[in-house]
Amino acid sequence: MAAAEPPADVKAIFNDYSENGTMSVDHLRQFMVEVQGEEKATIEDAQEVLDSLQHLNIFHKRGLNLEAFFKYLFWDTNPPLNPKLGVHHDMNAPLSHYFIYTGHNSYLTGNQLSSDCSDVPIINALKNGVRVIELDIWPNSTKDSINVLHGRTLTAPVEFLKCLKSIKEHAFVASEYPVVITLEDHLTPELQALAAEMITETFGEMLFTPGDECLSEFPSPESLKRRIMISTKPPEEYKSTGEDKDFDEDGEDAEYECGEDVAAEYRRLIAIHAGKGKGEVGERVKVDPDKVRRLSLSEQQIEKGVATHAFEIVRFTHKNLLRVYPKGTRVDSSNFDPLTAWMHGAQLVAFNMQGYGRELWMMQGMFKANGGCGYVKKPEFLLGHDGRVFDPKAAIPIRTTLRVTVYMGEGWYHDFNHTHFDTYSPPDFYAKVGIVGVPIDCMMKKTKTIGDNWIPTWDEVFEFPITIPELALLRIEVHEYDMSDKDDFAGQTCLPIRELRQGIRAVPLCSQKGEKYKSVKLLMRFEFL
């Protein structure tokens, strides 16, 4: 296989920032400032880059030759998001000021009807930074303990206590910020008392409990570091048939007020109260000035609701939490486009983490921001400062234009079986690049197909005008063209625009599950005009 050749752009830049075929540490610093947009780069930073390349045979002490410079650009140490950035949003605002990484039916291993329930998907979600775990709790067959399962389906149960213990063990592996357990509760008062005992004994001091009172404002993620919060609404009453009159596909319609007569120990554990859910969306999102709550709407309800009550929904999310969950017909554990919910302020867009596809890639992309801690500060215009309410339908001026150059790709030869794409010839790759965000910003572009090449060089430039960068994601996919069949998937990633680094970057691609490939990456350039 021929070695990758640097693109013409890279050769030209090297000539501009080198002397006699060598890029010195001073040249490199100048390149980092002027091309890579790293305005604060110092000589020490440039020296650190040189030192990191010492293990390559092509390195020599005076600096970088063209081959070494190209290797540095296409190396894992030059990613599109700054790994040193970490958690950098203000974490001292109320929980309602953040988008929060949220799971739906977090215990399911596969589809919504017949897959096994287990603590393994819960553990995986927490390891990936998910901060909201949903458990459906039901009496076990002998009515003396508690199981987690998807009610009225063929899903095999897992013990509630086992799930709680796994949450305790893995809650803060990926992030120190609070974990919320949303309980969809189908228990008798006796079993609610048992649930309270299990929760209290498992989490002890980790548990955040405001007591009997409903909160008038949510605490901040910073003040809740390494704490567990319970969010639920006990059903109106327990019916021995196990059928709730007001049950919808997510069990979210039963009415509950903070002062209702429920097992007292259980009620005291509830930090985030799920409030009333009756009538039209306009009724449901009425704001109570004295207490905050969580409201759940299905994806159809939010789509329908924003057509008539967008203003009221956005206003509700200034102080309260809005959870949006997949419609009940998504039995394959697929997901929906999260953007409508996000642009109307919904903090808890609940996703099936075991269901793959573009919507989940978008969710994973959004929560790569802010150090992957599972909390992303909402844009200022969604926070209701000065009493203003954002109007998603208003005309918005273009704030920036992102120019994307797709130079080339490599790594498939190492990560895939050599007959994976074509049995008798090298693959024919093309890339798709675009923006997902508010409707006016959405746009996808496609490169030409490069035939019979494991290391495709496209060298194509695209421009994307963006009105709301805070809600925009850069979506990148590579496919292999197949004349007789469906094109083969060859990698994807989704990156938050507001954290995208300008300059020439090595962009690692992921599998359909969102797992990073070992070698597959694209060389790209990002410029904000």
Side-chain angles (χ1 to χ4, degrees):
M1 230 196 30
E5 177 80 10
D9 228 11
V10 170
K11 290 177 183 172
I13 287 169
F14 179 77
N15 289 338
D16 289 345
Y17 292 89
S18 65
E19 221 170 280
N20 304 322
T22 301
M23 183 183 274
S24 68
V25 70
D26 287 318
H27 289 131
L28 179 58
R29 188 197 78 85
Q30 196 183 349
F31 163 78
M32 291 166 78
V33 171
E34 292 173 11
V35 178
Q36 303 295 77
E38 297 169 28
E39 290 153 12
K40 294 178 179 166
T42 60
I43 289 288
E44 288 74 29
D45 295 329
Q47 188 61 51
E48 200 180 306
V49 170
L50 293 183
D51 294 344
S52 74
L53 297 169
Q54 273 188 353
H55 63 287
L56 301 174
N57 298 332
I58 49 179
F59 173 83
H60 58 86
K61 280 203 168 79
R62 283 181 300 120
L64 304 174
N65 61 15
L66 173 61
E67 192 186 350
F69 176 61
F70 177 46
K71 266 276 182 8
Y72 146 64
L73 290 178
F74 218 168
W75 208 249
D76 292 338
T77 51
N78 182 35
L81 304 180
N82 185 352
K84 292 179 179 171
L85 207 51
V87 176
H88 58 284
H89 295 179
D90 171 17
M91 301 303 281
N92 290 298
L95 289 180
S96 56
H97 286 207
Y98 302 83
F99 296 125
I100 307 173
Y101 205 178
T102 301
H104 172 255
N105 291 352
S106 307
Y107 49 85
L108 288 178
T109 54
N111 70 55
Q112 302 284 308
L113 296 180
S114 59
S115 66
D116 287 343
C117 301
S118 165
D119 61 337
V120 173
I122 296 170
I123 294 167
N124 291 339
L126 291 167
K127 283 181 176 174
N128 289 328
V130 172
R131 299 288 85 194
V132 183
I133 298 293
E134 183 190 23
L135 304 178
D136 290 17
I137 49 178
W138 295 79
N140 66 355
S141 55
T142 51
K143 307 277 191 283
D144 60 353
S145 194
I146 304 166
N147 277 340
V148 171
L149 74 147
H150 197 203
R152 291 185 282 291
T153 65
L154 302 172
T155 55
V158 59
E159 289 176 359
F160 180 50
L161 190 56
K162 185 179 186 185
C163 294
L164 294 179
K165 285 180 173 171
S166 293
I167 292 170
K168 182 185 182 182
E169 192 179 335
H170 298 93
F172 305 111
V173 169
S175 166
E176 285 194 303
Y177 290 96
V179 166
V180 178
I181 303 173
T182 59
L183 298 177
E184 196 179 292
D185 169 7
H186 306 271
L187 303 178
T188 59
E190 294 76 28
L191 287 179
Q192 286 177 347
L194 179 61
E197 195 180 306
M198 289 175 171
I199 291 167
T200 308
E201 283 183 12
T202 303
F203 297 117
E205 292 295 304
M206 293 165 83
L207 211 56
F208 172 78
T209 53
D212 288 337
E213 296 304 307
C214 272
L215 295 166
S216 58
E217 183 177 70
F218 289 117
S220 71
E222 190 63 39
S223 70
L224 293 167
K225 267 186 173 173
R226 304 189 74 84
R227 303 295 290 274
I228 305 281
M229 303 174 83
I230 303 296
S231 177
T232 188
K233 153 196 53 44
E236 289 176 291
E237 58 186 83
Y238 182 85
K239 297 173 179 62
S240 56
T241 59
E243 288 185 10
D244 298 318
K245 172 168 58 69
D246 291 311
F247 184 90
D248 68 0
E249 63 263 292
D250 212 43
E252 285 290 353
D253 267 359
E255 186 176 321
Y256 169 64
E257 288 268 23
C258 290
E260 215 172 16
D261 179 25
V262 184
E265 320 86 83
Y266 184 72
R267 201 177 92 230
R268 268 198 294 275
L269 296 181
I270 302 172
I272 300 172
H273 287 268
K276 272 188 176 183
K278 289 283 183 189
E280 289 301 308
V281 168
E283 280 298 306
R284 294 181 183 212
V285 294
K286 282 197 168 151
V287 174
D288 184 330
D290 299 321
K291 56 190 179 194
V292 289
R293 59 190 171 100
R294 166 173 75 80
L295 173 70
S296 284
L297 298 175
S298 70
E299 61 175 287
Q300 302 111 308
Q301 287 170 329
I302 191 86
E303 287 290 349
K304 202 172 151 195
V306 298
T308 50
H309 294 94
F311 178 92
E312 291 87 346
I313 290 170
V314 174
R315 187 179 58 191
F316 178 82
T317 63
H318 292 166
K319 284 188 71 178
N320 299 280
L321 295 177
L322 178 58
R323 173 175 171 272
V324 180
Y325 60 90
K327 60 188 176 187
T329 51
R330 292 190 183 276
V331 293
D332 58 350
S333 293
S334 61
N335 291 298
F336 55 96
D337 183 340
L339 259 306
T340 299
W342 283 336
M343 65 193 259
H344 289 86
Q347 301 87 349
L348 310 171
V349 181
F351 262 35
N352 294 308
M353 297 298 166
Q354 78 281 27
Y356 313 124
R358 288 189 174 96
E359 292 79 13
L360 187 58
W361 303 342
M362 288 157 66
M363 179 65 66
Q364 290 163 342
M366 171 63 99
F367 287 100
K368 283 176 183 155
N370 202 23
C373 76
Y375 286 80
V376 171
K377 191 87 159 38
K378 294 202 290 188
E380 287 296 306
F381 59 78
L382 283 174
L383 301 180
H385 296 318
D386 311 326
R388 285 174 300 175
V389 178
F390 171 63
D391 177 6
K393 294 186 179 71
I396 307 160
I398 291 166
R399 290 211 348 242
T400 186
T401 296
L402 173 64
R403 180 187 287 155
V404 176
T405 307
V406 186
Y407 290 121
M408 61 188 296
E410 70 165 19
W412 293 279
Y413 190 83
H414 305 292
D415 291 358
F416 287 81
N417 185 301
H418 295 173
T419 57
H420 177 89
F421 297 109
D422 278 323
T423 311
Y424 302 109
S425 64
D428 313 313
F429 289 126
Y430 64 88
K432 288 166 80 175
V433 182
I435 299 294
V436 285
V438 298
I440 197 169
D441 291 347
C442 293
M443 187 190 299
M444 287 302 287
K445 304 275 183 79
K446 186 179 160 191
T447 67
K448 56 188 175 286
T449 299
I450 302 295
D452 296 339
N453 204 323
W454 283 100
I455 305 176
T457 297
W458 296 287
D459 220 345
E460 292 189 47
V461 182
F462 305 106
E463 289 191 2
F464 303 100
I466 301 171
T467 61
I468 301 190
E470 298 92 340
L471 295 178
L473 302 164
L474 179 68
R475 196 155 72 70
I476 301 163
E477 290 181 27
V478 177
H479 296 267
E480 200 269 340
Y481 173 71
D482 198 320
M483 211 163 15
S484 58
D485 206 354
K486 190 169 174 269
D487 291 355
D488 293 316
F489 173 84
Q492 62 82 22
T493 192
C494 219
L495 302 166
I497 293 291
R498 59 175 164 176
E499 294 201 6
L500 195 61
R501 296 204 283 180
Q502 81 170 58
I504 300 171
R505 303 293 173 188
V507 180
L509 297 188
C510 302
S511 70
Q512 283 169 304
K513 292 183 179 181
E515 291 159 357
K516 193 160 150 291
Y517 290 127
K518 200 167 168 219
S519 322
V520 177
K521 50 187 178 289
L522 302 183
L523 188 68
M524 303 179 75
R525 184 174 184 178
F526 307 115
E527 298 165 90
F528 289 97
L529 307 179

